[in-house]
Amino acid sequence: MRTCNICDRKIKSRIAENHSQLGFTLIEVMVVIAIIGIMATLIVPQIMSKPDEARVIAAKQDISSIVQALKLYRLDIGRYPTTEQGLAALVAKPTSEPIPQNWKPNGYVDRLPKDPWGFAYQYSNPGTRAEIEVFSLGADNKPGGTGFDADLGNW
């Protein structure tokens, strides 16, 4: 029996030694936090501009899709909608002159998208930079601008 007690004591002392070495010291935790902080200061600024860049890309894609629908409209009708008829002529048959005779029964798009900033796309026929213009006024919804506030269009 005595040998068993000695074995038990040795096992208990080894377990106690192992438990005392488990976990991290305060310095180790602080080093890890400092490394994470440094990485965050390098990465976060690059990630933060990505949503704005994605909005610009989405607006360009929307404009391209709208222009394609306008081209289909022109193939069927023989001309683009007037500025007054606007992009709504792609969804519902225009009721103002000139009323199209061969208008596609289901329209040319299901619905008109809003630009990524929540504003309506603009349409002009004739355009000043192209035959027709489909454009977004950018993040500030004002003509002109720079950066993400700049106008985006099919020109």
Side-chain angles (χ1 to χ4, degrees):
M1 225 28 58
R2 212 169 180 173
T3 56
C4 290
N5 285 338
I6 293 173
C7 290
D8 286 342
R9 284 184 205 159
K10 285 184 180 181
I11 291 172
K12 287 180 183 178
S13 69
R14 284 190 182 168
I15 291 173
E17 285 176 18
N18 288 340
H19 279 296
S20 67
Q21 293 179 0
L22 292 177
F24 300 103
T25 65
L26 179 61
I27 292 177
E28 291 171 329
V29 172
M30 289 176 61
V31 167
V32 169
I33 290 174
I35 291 170
I36 291 171
I38 292 168
M39 290 175 61
T41 58
L42 296 174
I43 295 171
V44 169
Q46 294 178 7
I47 294 173
M48 293 307 289
S49 68
K50 297 297 182 192
D52 291 326
E53 291 173 18
R55 286 185 185 100
V56 169
I57 292 169
K60 289 179 181 180
Q61 289 295 323
D62 284 349
I63 290 168
S64 178
S65 297
I66 292 169
V67 168
Q68 290 304 314
L70 285 164
K71 288 179 180 180
L72 288 174
Y73 181 98
R74 182 179 178 196
L75 282 173
D76 288 348
I77 310 302
R79 59 177 169 66
Y80 291 113
T82 64
T83 300
E84 292 76 28
Q85 291 170 331
L87 295 175
L90 298 174
V91 179
K93 185 175 181 176
T95 55
S96 61
E97 291 293 330
I99 298 174
Q101 299 305 313
N102 299 330
W103 194 82
K104 193 174 169 182
N106 294 326
Y108 296 87
V109 294
D110 293 332
R111 62 175 183 76
L112 288 174
K114 297 272 188 193
D115 72 11
W117 298 278
F119 305 109
Y121 284 102
Q122 307 295 311
Y123 172 71
S124 180
N125 178 16
T128 56
R129 301 180 194 180
E131 182 179 9
I132 58 164
E133 292 179 354
V134 177
F135 57 98
S136 166
L137 295 174
D140 64 353
N141 199 35
K142 296 177 184 172
T146 59
F148 299 117
D149 293 334
D151 300 348
L152 302 165
N154 64 318
W155 48 79

